[in-house]
């Protein structure tokens, strides 16, 4: 325990540095640690993931697109070179690189009415990306665009997706408002057959699965939900007809409404300020407080934009990722909440201290230092609450008690001040969430709240089976189903290929190197896919699949390199980062075997070296 921190190091400077950090905390470190345990224990539930239900059960019309008129068309029966399932930034990046590689026949299939993926669906007021726009929006140089702000708002992100679609002529063959139902390999034909909910039967030589990790909305299974007599919707299907206004706010339809919101994750904190501004009464039902750091939005400096030289975006992406990986980059060019946190909470802090004392820190000193820095960071976040929120009881309830990486951190400057508004009330559910709903009344414990509208900012399915989340299975050679193959853990080569799935690429975070800026990983994956595509064609191969050996080696590499810290996540309050407390879940976001432990930059280097080698080692013709 921290009480005897001198025993963790015999070096006076290390002791002094750590003592200074601990002296600056809002409470004694041992008390904070005990509080972390208490807050976790309060929230751990036996029903884990099954506490949620698919939103489709609650809102049968969820599949309908609220943002576009449904159009009719006859079923397609045809062949294309590449089918890409998913028109978000992963699918668009792959399509762009395939076009660059000379592929003229690409069909993106997506349930949405346009490109954009998660940014197509998530149009709630205040929707924006808290990862810097200059590194988050892909292909900026290719389409000749510099975002307007440091953090892009959703309409601009959606517009950028459209620009990519137009620039690379991806609308030509796209099938929008179309859901894939089956993806199956025909070994005789050497083709994939993709069936859809519009009775299309499309064959293709290659298939890219780019369905996204957080694409299926989920709702809590609150007793009595069906009886709610007011208006209820999920943030990823915002009903502007009811609320009025748009993504910038001005929700005039709520002026006479009592509005409740369930969920205070990254989405909830962006929505709440607009609800506070526009609703007659606002009730924020909080189960676990979010860590809300500084966002500091800024306009893009035109002089800076004019000074950018070719290759700037990749350099900036690499720079950000190097900071996230704890590398010493000298000057931090990004300077935001992410880079600040990672510089404090990764090996960089240890490196700086070790330079000071002229030797490497022992493992124990390093662990101790990083935990102290974590306590400091969370202390800062709680102090921000104290400094911003005037009502003491509300401020206390808004303070997060867990380690920084337990939950996805949030960054916002208007969320906390909302609780100073007379019409806004934080309903502290003491870790239990909404307990039941009866007609117009929403209950937290014994207290009921009469509401006209209940908004679910309750997130997306994580931890359920990959193919369940996607809504379709992938059936490869000899009838091998992906759902069966990945039942007991992911099995891939480089995260992209899987044995018995010829000419199929799986984009996303599974068994790849990725962190914070997922778009960066997708961009690298896209380049790799285009390379493999071109190589298979140049060699005149019918199709390429991962060999049994290469796949086994990669799975072993992931298992041995993985940095999944089970003890750390087991100590956390539940959430999707730790599969609602079930750290052994094999489908989890951060579970062992899910990502490459060497980190993104090493992973990108590894892919580059593999391409440079030139013989497609680990792939074979079938
Ligand atoms: P999350 O899963 O992060 O949050 C869901 C929220 O719902 C949590 O606060 C959760 O509480 C709460 N909740 C669930 N069930 C109940 C219940 N029964 N009663 C009360 N509260 C409940 O979903 P989000 O949509 O906020 O975010 C998902 C992800 O999408 C983010 O983590 C991020 O990766 C991405 N995103 C990114 C943005 C960006 O700016 N880049 C913006 C928005 C989203 P509890 O914590 O207790 O489980």
């Amino acid at each position: 325990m921290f009480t005897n921190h001198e025993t963790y190091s015999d070096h006076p400077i290390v002791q002094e540095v750590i003592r200074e950090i601990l002296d600056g905390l809002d409470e004694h470190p041992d008390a904070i640690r005990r509080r972390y345990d208490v807050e976790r224990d309060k929230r751990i539930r036996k029903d884990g993931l099954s506490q949620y239900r698919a939103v489709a059960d609650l809102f049968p019309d969820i599949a309908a697109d609220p943002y576009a008129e449904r159009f009719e068309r006859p079923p397609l029966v045809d062949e294309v070179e590449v089918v890409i399932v998913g028109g978000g930034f992963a699918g668009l990046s792959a399509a762009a690189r395939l076009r660059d590689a000379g592929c003229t026949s690409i069909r993106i299939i997506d349930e949405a009415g346009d490109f954009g993926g998660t940014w197509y669906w998530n149009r709630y007021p205040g929707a924006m990306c808290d990862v810097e726009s200059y590194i988050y929006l892909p292909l900026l140089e290719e389409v000749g665009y510099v975002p307007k702000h440091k953090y892009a708002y959703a309409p601009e992100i959606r517009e950028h997706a459209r620009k990519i679609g137009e620039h690379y002529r991806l609308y030509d063959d796209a099938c929008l408002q179309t859901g894939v139902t089956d993806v199956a390999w025909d070994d005789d034909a050497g083709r994939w057959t993709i069936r859809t909910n519009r009775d299309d039967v499309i064959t293709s030589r290659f298939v890219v699965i780019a369905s996204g990790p957080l694409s299926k909305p989920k709702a809590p299974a609150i007793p009595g939900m069906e009886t709610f007599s007011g208006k209820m919707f999920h943030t990823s299907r915002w009903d502007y007809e009811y609320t009025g206004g748009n993504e910038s706010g001005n929700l005039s339809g709520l002026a006479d409404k009592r509005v409740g919101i369930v969920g205070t994750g990254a989405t909830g904190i962006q929505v709440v300020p607009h609800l506070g501004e526009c609703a007659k009464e606002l009730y924020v039902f909080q189960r676990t407080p979010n860590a809300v750091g500084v966002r500091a939005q800024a306009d893009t400096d035109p002089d800076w934009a004019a000074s950018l030289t070719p290759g700037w975006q990749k350099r900036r992406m690499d720079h950000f990722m190097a900071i996230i990986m704890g590398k010493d980059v000298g000057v931090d060019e990004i300077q935001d909440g992410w880079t600040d946190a990672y510089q404090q909470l990764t090996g960089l802090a240890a490196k700086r201290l070790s330079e000071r004392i002229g030797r490497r820190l022992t493992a124990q000193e390093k662990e101790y230092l990083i935990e102290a820095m974590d306590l400091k960071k969370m202390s800062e976040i709680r102090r921000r609450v104290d400094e911003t929120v005037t009502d003491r009881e509300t401020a206390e309830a808004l303070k997060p008690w867990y380690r920084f990486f337990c939950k996805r951190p949030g960054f916002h400057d208007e969320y906390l001040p909302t609780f100073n508004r007379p019409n806004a009330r934080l309903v502290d559910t003491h870790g239990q969430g909404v307990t039941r709903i009866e007609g117009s009344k929403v209950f937290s414990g014994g207290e009921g709240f009469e509401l006209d509208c209940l908004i679910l900012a309750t997130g997306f399915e994580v931890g359920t089976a990959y193919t369940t989340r996607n809504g379709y299975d992938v059936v490869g050679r000899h009838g091998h189903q992906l759902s069966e193959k990945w039942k007991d853990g992911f099995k891939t080569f480089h995260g992209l290929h899987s044995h018995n799935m010829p000419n199929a690429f799986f984009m996303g975070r599974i068994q790849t190197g990725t962190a914070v800026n997922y778009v960066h990983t997708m961009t690298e994956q896209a380049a790799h896919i285009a390379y493999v595509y071109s190589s298979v064609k140049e060699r005149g191969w019918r199709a390429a699949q991962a060999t049994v050996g290469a796949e086994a080696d990669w799975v072993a590499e992931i298992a041995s390199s993985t940095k999944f810290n089970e003890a750390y996540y087991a100590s956390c309050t539940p959430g999707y980062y730790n599969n609602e407390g079930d750290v052994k879940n094999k489908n989890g976001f951060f579970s062992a075997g899910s990502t490459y432990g060497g980190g993104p930059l090493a992973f990108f280097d590894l892919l580059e070296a593999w391409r440079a080698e030139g013989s497609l080692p680990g792939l074979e013709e079938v």
Side-chain angles (χ1 to χ4, degrees), residues 54-68 70 111 121 217 231-234 236-239 241:
V55 168
D57 298 343
L58 198 58
F59 309 111
D61 58 350
I62 189 83
D65 180 349
Y67 311 122
R70 183 181 157 87
E111 283 181 56
W121 296 109
K231 181 82 192 167
M232 180 162 61
F233 54 85
H234 190 271
S236 66
R237 304 290 187 280
W238 195 271
D239 189 337
E241 238 173 74

Side-chain angles (χ1 to χ4, degrees), residues 43 45 51-52 118-119 122 124 127-131 136 214 218-222 234-235 262-270 285-290 338 407-408 429 431-435 457-460 518 573-577 580 589:
R43 291 174 174 83
R45 301 166 51 131
Q51 68 179 282
Y52 296 107
T118 191
W119 298 104
N122 284 281
Y124 54 83
M128 66 183 306
C129 185
D130 60 14
V131 175
Y136 181 80
L214 291 161
K218 69 173 165 40
I222 302 169
H234 190 271
T235 41
V262 184
T264 52
T267 300
I269 65 167
Q270 294 184 349
F285 292 92
Q286 173 189 269
R287 191 163 68 175
T288 311
N290 202 333
W338 291 108
K407 281 184 170 286
R408 193 212 188 260
T429 68
Q432 303 311 302
V434 171
T435 39
T458 46
F460 302 86
Y518 299 121
T573 50
Y576 80 80
Y577 270 21
E580 306 299 336
F589 202 68

